[in-house]
Amino acid sequence: MIIAVQNQKGGVGKTTIAIHLSHALALRGGRVLLVDADPQGSARDWAAARTSDLPFSIVGLDRPTIHRDLPAIAKSYNHVIIDGPPRVSDLARSAIMASNLVVIPVQPSAYDVWATEKVISLIQEASVYKDWLKSVFLINRKIANTSIAKDVIEALSSYKIPVLKSAICQRVAFAESAGIGCTVLETDPKGIAATEIKLLVEELLALDV
């Protein structure tokens, strides 16, 4: 499975999601490659902050030839996660073309809903060449015990792209683990944040991709 975590709006948590998906998949026994396609190199910075061995492989590939370069690089891996760039560009197009599933993180705000139009346009363009390409919305940084996420899900329904049942809440644990180059699956593997990540991975693996 090749998953692109993509949204043209910055600050939606793409890197956090990509890193945690990679780690969760690696813990299930697969060989996992995280492709850092963001020129800011946040995933690579996270890796540099670690004091222990990486639980999965990371490669920087922030050029608009991912769809051509990735097959040769990825052939020895079970799963590939692409941490996409934070804007609509040829690089974003290439990341989407390289994948068979696009996960679109959306924060529970009207601004995020409006910003999804551009990435959806890129997915529609790619679908002309890859009619099997699938995409899903992921509610990220959900605020617990509020109805905001429900309103956002209703707003997203007009795009005809499914919203995952799994959601990731706004939790300090994610920021704390990132600061030391870890994930919540390491710092608090039985905590609620880790449980949310595990449920997300189970739902993604259950998709017919």
Side-chain angles (χ1 to χ4, degrees), residues 47-64:
R50 285 185 69 87
T51 57
S52 58
D53 292 340
L54 287 167
F56 49 85
S57 300
I58 295 182
V59 63
L61 198 59
D62 51 4
R63 55 182 182 263

Side-chain angles (χ1 to χ4, degrees), residues 28-67:
R28 296 174 71 100
R31 294 198 68 217
V32 179
L33 173 66
L34 172 58
V35 175
D36 188 351
D38 186 342
Q40 295 177 357
S42 298
R44 283 165 281 178
D45 290 340
W46 171 87
R50 285 185 69 87
T51 57
S52 58
D53 292 340
L54 287 167
F56 49 85
S57 300
I58 295 182
V59 63
L61 198 59
D62 51 4
R63 55 182 182 263
T65 56
I66 301 172
H67 61 294

Side-chain angles (χ1 to χ4, degrees), residues 54-101:
L54 287 167
F56 49 85
S57 300
I58 295 182
V59 63
L61 198 59
D62 51 4
R63 55 182 182 263
T65 56
I66 301 172
H67 61 294
R68 295 201 301 267
D69 300 337
L70 189 56
I73 299 171
K75 59 185 178 182
S76 61
Y77 292 91
N78 302 107
H79 302 288
V80 177
I81 308 297
I82 304 173
D83 181 16
R87 63 187 63 85
V88 169
S89 62
D90 289 340
L91 178 53
R93 288 185 177 89
S94 184
I96 291 171
M97 283 296 294
S99 65
N100 46 36
L101 173 65

Side-chain angles (χ1 to χ4, degrees), residues 59-200:
V59 63
L61 198 59
D62 51 4
R63 55 182 182 263
T65 56
I66 301 172
H67 61 294
R68 295 201 301 267
D69 300 337
L70 189 56
I73 299 171
K75 59 185 178 182
S76 61
Y77 292 91
N78 302 107
H79 302 288
V80 177
I81 308 297
I82 304 173
D83 181 16
R87 63 187 63 85
V88 169
S89 62
D90 289 340
L91 178 53
R93 288 185 177 89
S94 184
I96 291 171
M97 283 296 294
S99 65
N100 46 36
L101 173 65
V102 183
V103 174
I104 309 167
V106 180
Q107 293 184 111
S109 77
Y111 300 109
D112 280 64
V113 173
W114 299 331
T116 59
E117 291 185 9
K118 292 182 179 179
V119 71
I120 290 170
S121 294
L122 290 184
I123 293 170
Q124 290 172 339
E125 289 176 15
S127 296
V128 173
Y129 305 97
K130 299 179 65 173
D131 58 6
W132 64 90
L133 179 64
K134 291 194 175 184
S135 54
V136 291
F137 287 118
L138 167 65
I139 304 300
N140 190 37
R141 293 177 176 164
K142 175 184 175 182
I143 303 172
N145 302 318
T146 69
S147 61
I148 300 174
K150 181 180 178 181
D151 296 337
V152 169
I153 290 172
E154 290 179 359
L156 290 172
S157 64
S158 63
Y159 291 115
K160 309 304 180 184
I161 292 176
V163 180
L164 293 171
K165 294 179 181 179
S166 306
I168 307 300
C169 289
Q170 176 82 347
R171 300 190 189 282
V172 174
F174 288 110
E176 290 178 339
S177 64
I180 56 174
C182 292
T183 71
V184 297
L185 298 165
E186 297 171 284
T187 56
D188 189 10
K190 294 184 179 179
I192 191 166
T195 298
E196 289 175 351
I197 294 296
K198 292 171 186 175
L199 290 173
L200 169 61

